[in-house]
Short mmCIF file of all heavy atoms in Angstrom, two decimals:
data_model
loop_
_atom_site.label_atom_id
_atom_site.label_comp_id
_atom_site.label_asym_id
_atom_site.label_seq_id
_atom_site.Cartn_x
_atom_site.Cartn_y
_atom_site.Cartn_z
N ARG A 52 -9.80 96.73 -68.13
CA ARG A 52 -8.56 96.87 -67.35
C ARG A 52 -8.04 95.51 -66.92
O ARG A 52 -6.83 95.27 -66.90
CB ARG A 52 -8.79 97.78 -66.14
CG ARG A 52 -9.11 99.21 -66.56
CD ARG A 52 -8.86 100.24 -65.46
NE ARG A 52 -8.80 101.57 -66.03
CZ ARG A 52 -9.82 102.45 -66.02
NH1 ARG A 52 -10.97 102.12 -65.50
NH2 ARG A 52 -9.67 103.64 -66.57
N ASN A 53 -8.95 94.60 -66.56
CA ASN A 53 -8.52 93.24 -66.20
C ASN A 53 -7.82 92.58 -67.39
O ASN A 53 -6.77 91.92 -67.23
CB ASN A 53 -9.73 92.39 -65.79
CG ASN A 53 -10.32 92.82 -64.45
OD1 ASN A 53 -9.68 93.55 -63.69
ND2 ASN A 53 -11.53 92.38 -64.17
N LEU A 54 -8.37 92.76 -68.58
CA LEU A 54 -7.76 92.14 -69.76
C LEU A 54 -6.43 92.80 -70.11
O LEU A 54 -5.47 92.12 -70.49
CB LEU A 54 -8.73 92.21 -70.95
CG LEU A 54 -9.91 91.23 -70.87
CD1 LEU A 54 -10.99 91.59 -71.88
CD2 LEU A 54 -9.45 89.79 -71.09
N LEU A 55 -6.36 94.13 -69.97
CA LEU A 55 -5.09 94.81 -70.28
C LEU A 55 -3.98 94.36 -69.32
O LEU A 55 -2.83 94.18 -69.73
CB LEU A 55 -5.26 96.33 -70.23
CG LEU A 55 -6.11 96.96 -71.34
CD1 LEU A 55 -6.26 98.46 -71.12
CD2 LEU A 55 -5.53 96.69 -72.73
N SER A 56 -4.32 94.18 -68.05
CA SER A 56 -3.32 93.68 -67.08
C SER A 56 -2.84 92.30 -67.48
O SER A 56 -1.64 92.00 -67.43
CB SER A 56 -3.90 93.61 -65.67
OG SER A 56 -4.25 94.88 -65.24
N MET A 57 -3.77 91.44 -67.88
CA MET A 57 -3.42 90.08 -68.28
C MET A 57 -2.49 90.11 -69.51
O MET A 57 -1.49 89.41 -69.57
CB MET A 57 -4.72 89.32 -68.58
CG MET A 57 -4.58 87.87 -68.97
SD MET A 57 -4.30 87.62 -70.71
CE MET A 57 -5.91 88.06 -71.39
N LEU A 58 -2.81 90.97 -70.47
CA LEU A 58 -1.97 91.08 -71.68
C LEU A 58 -0.59 91.61 -71.32
O LEU A 58 0.43 91.16 -71.87
CB LEU A 58 -2.65 91.97 -72.72
CG LEU A 58 -3.94 91.39 -73.32
CD1 LEU A 58 -4.71 92.46 -74.10
CD2 LEU A 58 -3.64 90.20 -74.25
N ASP A 59 -0.53 92.57 -70.37
CA ASP A 59 0.77 93.06 -69.88
C ASP A 59 1.59 91.92 -69.28
O ASP A 59 2.79 91.80 -69.54
CB ASP A 59 0.57 94.12 -68.79
CG ASP A 59 0.36 95.51 -69.39
OD1 ASP A 59 0.47 95.64 -70.63
OD2 ASP A 59 0.09 96.45 -68.62
N ASN A 60 0.93 91.10 -68.45
CA ASN A 60 1.64 89.96 -67.82
C ASN A 60 2.27 89.06 -68.87
O ASN A 60 3.37 88.52 -68.67
CB ASN A 60 0.68 89.09 -66.99
CG ASN A 60 0.16 89.82 -65.77
OD1 ASN A 60 0.72 90.85 -65.38
ND2 ASN A 60 -0.91 89.31 -65.18
N LEU A 61 1.56 88.88 -69.99
CA LEU A 61 2.03 87.96 -71.03
C LEU A 61 2.96 88.64 -72.04
O LEU A 61 3.59 87.97 -72.85
CB LEU A 61 0.84 87.37 -71.80
CG LEU A 61 -0.12 86.48 -71.00
CD1 LEU A 61 -1.31 86.09 -71.87
CD2 LEU A 61 0.60 85.22 -70.51
N GLY A 62 3.00 89.98 -72.00
CA GLY A 62 3.77 90.71 -73.02
C GLY A 62 3.17 90.52 -74.41
O GLY A 62 3.88 90.46 -75.40
N LEU A 63 1.84 90.44 -74.46
CA LEU A 63 1.15 90.14 -75.70
C LEU A 63 0.46 91.39 -76.24
O LEU A 63 -0.23 92.10 -75.50
CB LEU A 63 0.12 89.04 -75.42
CG LEU A 63 -0.60 88.39 -76.59
CD1 LEU A 63 0.39 87.73 -77.54
CD2 LEU A 63 -1.56 87.32 -76.06
N ARG A 64 0.64 91.67 -77.54
CA ARG A 64 0.00 92.83 -78.15
C ARG A 64 -1.29 92.37 -78.83
O ARG A 64 -1.28 91.46 -79.65
CB ARG A 64 0.95 93.46 -79.16
CG ARG A 64 0.42 94.70 -79.81
CD ARG A 64 1.53 95.52 -80.48
NE ARG A 64 0.96 96.72 -81.05
CZ ARG A 64 0.73 96.90 -82.35
NH1 ARG A 64 1.06 95.96 -83.22
NH2 ARG A 64 0.18 98.02 -82.79
N ALA A 65 -2.38 93.04 -78.48
CA ALA A 65 -3.69 92.66 -79.03
C ALA A 65 -4.20 93.75 -79.96
O ALA A 65 -3.67 94.87 -80.00
CB ALA A 65 -4.69 92.44 -77.90
N THR A 66 -5.24 93.41 -80.70
CA THR A 66 -5.96 94.40 -81.51
C THR A 66 -7.33 94.61 -80.87
O THR A 66 -8.02 93.63 -80.55
CB THR A 66 -6.12 93.88 -82.95
OG1 THR A 66 -4.81 93.72 -83.50
CG2 THR A 66 -6.91 94.86 -83.80
N VAL A 67 -7.68 95.88 -80.67
CA VAL A 67 -8.93 96.18 -79.96
C VAL A 67 -9.87 96.92 -80.92
O VAL A 67 -9.66 98.09 -81.24
CB VAL A 67 -8.65 97.01 -78.69
CG1 VAL A 67 -9.95 97.19 -77.89
CG2 VAL A 67 -7.59 96.33 -77.82
N PHE A 68 -10.89 96.20 -81.40
CA PHE A 68 -11.89 96.79 -82.29
C PHE A 68 -12.87 97.58 -81.42
O PHE A 68 -13.52 97.01 -80.53
CB PHE A 68 -12.58 95.69 -83.09
CG PHE A 68 -11.64 94.99 -84.05
CD1 PHE A 68 -11.01 93.80 -83.69
CD2 PHE A 68 -11.37 95.54 -85.30
CE1 PHE A 68 -10.13 93.17 -84.57
CE2 PHE A 68 -10.49 94.91 -86.18
CZ PHE A 68 -9.87 93.72 -85.82
N THR A 69 -12.94 98.90 -81.69
CA THR A 69 -13.63 99.80 -80.77
C THR A 69 -14.62 100.70 -81.50
O THR A 69 -14.21 101.51 -82.35
CB THR A 69 -12.58 100.69 -80.06
OG1 THR A 69 -11.57 99.85 -79.48
CG2 THR A 69 -13.21 101.54 -78.98
N PRO A 70 -15.92 100.60 -81.21
CA PRO A 70 -16.86 101.54 -81.82
C PRO A 70 -16.50 102.98 -81.44
O PRO A 70 -16.06 103.25 -80.31
CB PRO A 70 -18.21 101.14 -81.20
CG PRO A 70 -18.04 99.70 -80.79
CD PRO A 70 -16.59 99.59 -80.37
N GLY A 71 -16.71 103.91 -82.39
CA GLY A 71 -16.39 105.31 -82.13
C GLY A 71 -17.12 105.85 -80.91
O GLY A 71 -16.57 106.63 -80.12
N TRP A 72 -18.37 105.44 -80.74
CA TRP A 72 -19.17 105.93 -79.61
C TRP A 72 -18.51 105.55 -78.28
O TRP A 72 -18.49 106.34 -77.33
CB TRP A 72 -20.60 105.36 -79.68
CG TRP A 72 -21.50 105.91 -78.62
CD1 TRP A 72 -22.29 107.02 -78.72
CD2 TRP A 72 -21.68 105.40 -77.29
NE1 TRP A 72 -22.95 107.22 -77.53
CE2 TRP A 72 -22.60 106.25 -76.64
CE3 TRP A 72 -21.16 104.31 -76.59
CZ2 TRP A 72 -23.00 106.04 -75.33
CZ3 TRP A 72 -21.55 104.11 -75.27
CH2 TRP A 72 -22.46 104.97 -74.65
N ILE A 73 -17.96 104.34 -78.23
CA ILE A 73 -17.29 103.87 -77.00
C ILE A 73 -16.04 104.73 -76.75
O ILE A 73 -15.77 105.13 -75.60
CB ILE A 73 -16.91 102.38 -77.14
CG1 ILE A 73 -18.17 101.51 -77.03
CG2 ILE A 73 -15.86 101.95 -76.11
CD1 ILE A 73 -18.74 101.33 -75.64
N ALA A 74 -15.31 105.05 -77.81
CA ALA A 74 -14.11 105.88 -77.65
C ALA A 74 -14.49 107.28 -77.15
O ALA A 74 -13.79 107.88 -76.34
CB ALA A 74 -13.36 105.96 -78.97
N ASP A 75 -15.62 107.77 -77.65
CA ASP A 75 -16.11 109.09 -77.25
C ASP A 75 -16.57 109.08 -75.79
O ASP A 75 -16.33 110.03 -75.03
CB ASP A 75 -17.31 109.42 -78.16
CG ASP A 75 -17.43 110.88 -78.43
OD1 ASP A 75 -16.39 111.55 -78.54
OD2 ASP A 75 -18.58 111.36 -78.55
N ARG A 76 -17.21 108.00 -75.38
CA ARG A 76 -17.79 107.89 -74.04
C ARG A 76 -16.74 107.51 -72.99
O ARG A 76 -16.84 107.91 -71.83
CB ARG A 76 -18.92 106.84 -74.09
CG ARG A 76 -19.57 106.48 -72.77
CD ARG A 76 -20.45 107.60 -72.26
NE ARG A 76 -21.07 107.23 -70.98
CZ ARG A 76 -20.43 107.24 -69.82
NH1 ARG A 76 -19.16 107.58 -69.77
NH2 ARG A 76 -21.06 106.89 -68.70
N TYR A 77 -15.74 106.72 -73.41
CA TYR A 77 -14.73 106.22 -72.47
C TYR A 77 -13.32 106.54 -72.97
O TYR A 77 -12.50 105.63 -73.22
CB TYR A 77 -14.88 104.70 -72.28
CG TYR A 77 -16.24 104.29 -71.76
CD1 TYR A 77 -17.20 103.75 -72.60
CD2 TYR A 77 -16.57 104.45 -70.40
CE1 TYR A 77 -18.46 103.37 -72.13
CE2 TYR A 77 -17.83 104.08 -69.92
CZ TYR A 77 -18.77 103.55 -70.80
OH TYR A 77 -20.00 103.18 -70.32
N PRO A 78 -13.00 107.82 -73.12
CA PRO A 78 -11.70 108.17 -73.74
C PRO A 78 -10.49 107.70 -72.92
O PRO A 78 -9.47 107.33 -73.50
CB PRO A 78 -11.76 109.70 -73.84
CG PRO A 78 -12.83 110.13 -72.88
CD PRO A 78 -13.81 109.02 -72.81
N GLU A 79 -10.62 107.71 -71.59
CA GLU A 79 -9.46 107.29 -70.77
C GLU A 79 -9.09 105.84 -71.04
O GLU A 79 -7.92 105.51 -71.20
CB GLU A 79 -9.80 107.42 -69.27
CG GLU A 79 -9.52 108.78 -68.71
CD GLU A 79 -9.95 108.86 -67.26
OE1 GLU A 79 -9.77 107.88 -66.51
OE2 GLU A 79 -10.49 109.91 -66.89
N GLN A 80 -10.12 104.99 -71.08
CA GLN A 80 -9.85 103.57 -71.32
C GLN A 80 -9.24 103.36 -72.71
O GLN A 80 -8.32 102.55 -72.88
CB GLN A 80 -11.15 102.75 -71.20
CG GLN A 80 -11.64 102.57 -69.78
CD GLN A 80 -12.58 103.68 -69.31
OE1 GLN A 80 -12.42 104.84 -69.69
NE2 GLN A 80 -13.54 103.33 -68.48
N VAL A 81 -9.75 104.07 -73.68
CA VAL A 81 -9.27 103.87 -75.06
C VAL A 81 -7.85 104.42 -75.21
O VAL A 81 -7.00 103.79 -75.86
CB VAL A 81 -10.27 104.48 -76.07
CG1 VAL A 81 -9.72 104.43 -77.49
CG2 VAL A 81 -11.59 103.71 -75.99
N ALA A 82 -7.57 105.56 -74.58
CA ALA A 82 -6.20 106.08 -74.61
C ALA A 82 -5.25 105.11 -73.92
O ALA A 82 -4.09 104.93 -74.35
CB ALA A 82 -6.14 107.45 -73.95
N GLU A 83 -5.74 104.47 -72.86
CA GLU A 83 -4.88 103.52 -72.14
C GLU A 83 -4.57 102.28 -73.00
O GLU A 83 -3.47 101.75 -72.97
CB GLU A 83 -5.54 103.09 -70.83
CG GLU A 83 -4.57 102.32 -69.96
CD GLU A 83 -5.10 102.06 -68.56
OE1 GLU A 83 -6.09 102.69 -68.16
OE2 GLU A 83 -4.49 101.21 -67.88
N ILE A 84 -5.56 101.83 -73.76
CA ILE A 84 -5.33 100.69 -74.66
C ILE A 84 -4.16 101.02 -75.61
O ILE A 84 -3.22 100.23 -75.75
CB ILE A 84 -6.61 100.40 -75.49
CG1 ILE A 84 -7.71 99.84 -74.59
CG2 ILE A 84 -6.32 99.44 -76.64
CD1 ILE A 84 -9.10 99.85 -75.22
N ALA A 85 -4.23 102.21 -76.22
CA ALA A 85 -3.17 102.61 -77.15
C ALA A 85 -1.87 102.85 -76.40
O ALA A 85 -0.79 102.46 -76.87
CB ALA A 85 -3.59 103.87 -77.91
N GLY A 86 -1.97 103.46 -75.21
CA GLY A 86 -0.77 103.77 -74.42
C GLY A 86 -0.01 102.51 -74.02
O GLY A 86 1.22 102.55 -73.84
N ARG A 87 -0.73 101.40 -73.87
CA ARG A 87 -0.05 100.14 -73.51
C ARG A 87 0.41 99.38 -74.75
O ARG A 87 0.84 98.23 -74.66
CB ARG A 87 -0.99 99.27 -72.69
CG ARG A 87 -1.32 99.88 -71.35
CD ARG A 87 -1.67 98.80 -70.36
NE ARG A 87 -2.42 99.31 -69.23
CZ ARG A 87 -2.74 98.57 -68.19
NH1 ARG A 87 -2.39 97.28 -68.15
NH2 ARG A 87 -3.42 99.07 -67.19
N GLY A 88 0.30 100.02 -75.91
CA GLY A 88 0.91 99.45 -77.12
C GLY A 88 0.00 98.60 -77.98
O GLY A 88 0.45 97.98 -78.93
N HIS A 89 -1.30 98.56 -77.65
CA HIS A 89 -2.20 97.73 -78.45
C HIS A 89 -2.72 98.51 -79.65
O HIS A 89 -2.67 99.73 -79.68
CB HIS A 89 -3.36 97.23 -77.58
CG HIS A 89 -2.91 96.45 -76.39
ND1 HIS A 89 -2.32 95.21 -76.50
CD2 HIS A 89 -2.88 96.75 -75.07
CE1 HIS A 89 -1.97 94.77 -75.31
NE2 HIS A 89 -2.30 95.69 -74.41
N GLU A 90 -3.21 97.76 -80.61
CA GLU A 90 -3.72 98.36 -81.84
C GLU A 90 -5.21 98.69 -81.68
O GLU A 90 -5.98 97.85 -81.22
CB GLU A 90 -3.55 97.35 -83.00
CG GLU A 90 -4.09 97.86 -84.32
CD GLU A 90 -4.28 96.74 -85.37
OE1 GLU A 90 -3.95 95.57 -85.09
OE2 GLU A 90 -4.80 97.08 -86.44
N LEU A 91 -5.60 99.89 -82.09
CA LEU A 91 -7.03 100.25 -82.13
C LEU A 91 -7.52 100.11 -83.56
O LEU A 91 -6.85 100.55 -84.50
CB LEU A 91 -7.24 101.70 -81.67
CG LEU A 91 -7.04 101.99 -80.18
CD1 LEU A 91 -7.05 103.49 -79.94
CD2 LEU A 91 -8.10 101.31 -79.33
N ALA A 92 -8.69 99.52 -83.72
CA ALA A 92 -9.23 99.34 -85.08
C ALA A 92 -10.73 99.61 -85.06
O ALA A 92 -11.37 99.65 -84.01
CB ALA A 92 -8.92 97.94 -85.60
N LEU A 93 -11.29 99.80 -86.27
CA LEU A 93 -12.68 100.25 -86.42
C LEU A 93 -13.70 99.15 -86.13
O LEU A 93 -13.49 97.98 -86.48
CB LEU A 93 -12.90 100.76 -87.85
CG LEU A 93 -12.15 102.03 -88.25
CD1 LEU A 93 -12.20 102.22 -89.76
CD2 LEU A 93 -12.75 103.24 -87.53
N HIS A 94 -14.83 99.56 -85.55
CA HIS A 94 -15.92 98.61 -85.28
C HIS A 94 -17.26 99.37 -85.29
O HIS A 94 -18.07 99.22 -84.39
CB HIS A 94 -15.64 97.96 -83.91
CG HIS A 94 -16.43 96.70 -83.65
ND1 HIS A 94 -16.60 95.70 -84.57
CD2 HIS A 94 -17.10 96.29 -82.54
CE1 HIS A 94 -17.32 94.73 -84.04
NE2 HIS A 94 -17.66 95.06 -82.82
N GLY A 95 -17.43 100.21 -86.34
CA GLY A 95 -18.65 101.01 -86.45
C GLY A 95 -18.61 102.24 -85.56
O GLY A 95 -17.62 102.49 -84.86
N TRP A 96 -19.70 103.05 -85.58
CA TRP A 96 -19.80 104.17 -84.63
C TRP A 96 -20.50 103.69 -83.37
O TRP A 96 -19.90 103.62 -82.31
CB TRP A 96 -20.52 105.39 -85.25
CG TRP A 96 -20.65 106.47 -84.23
CD1 TRP A 96 -21.77 106.77 -83.52
CD2 TRP A 96 -19.61 107.31 -83.73
NE1 TRP A 96 -21.50 107.76 -82.60
CE2 TRP A 96 -20.17 108.11 -82.71
CE3 TRP A 96 -18.25 107.46 -84.03
CZ2 TRP A 96 -19.44 109.06 -82.00
CZ3 TRP A 96 -17.51 108.41 -83.33
CH2 TRP A 96 -18.11 109.19 -82.33
#
Side-chain angles (χ1 to χ4, degrees):
R52 294 201 163 99
N53 290 345
L54 286 166
L55 290 177
S56 297
M57 182 274 290
L58 292 167
D59 275 355
N60 292 344
L61 296 175
L63 189 59
R64 183 163 182 256
T66 298
V67 186
F68 294 95
T69 307
W72 185 90
I73 287 284
D75 212 35
R76 175 72 181 77
Y77 301 103
E79 273 176 38
Q80 286 90 325
V81 173
E83 191 171 345
I84 291 165
R87 295 207 200 186
H89 302 292
E90 178 196 357
L91 289 170
L93 293 167
H94 196 45
W96 177 258

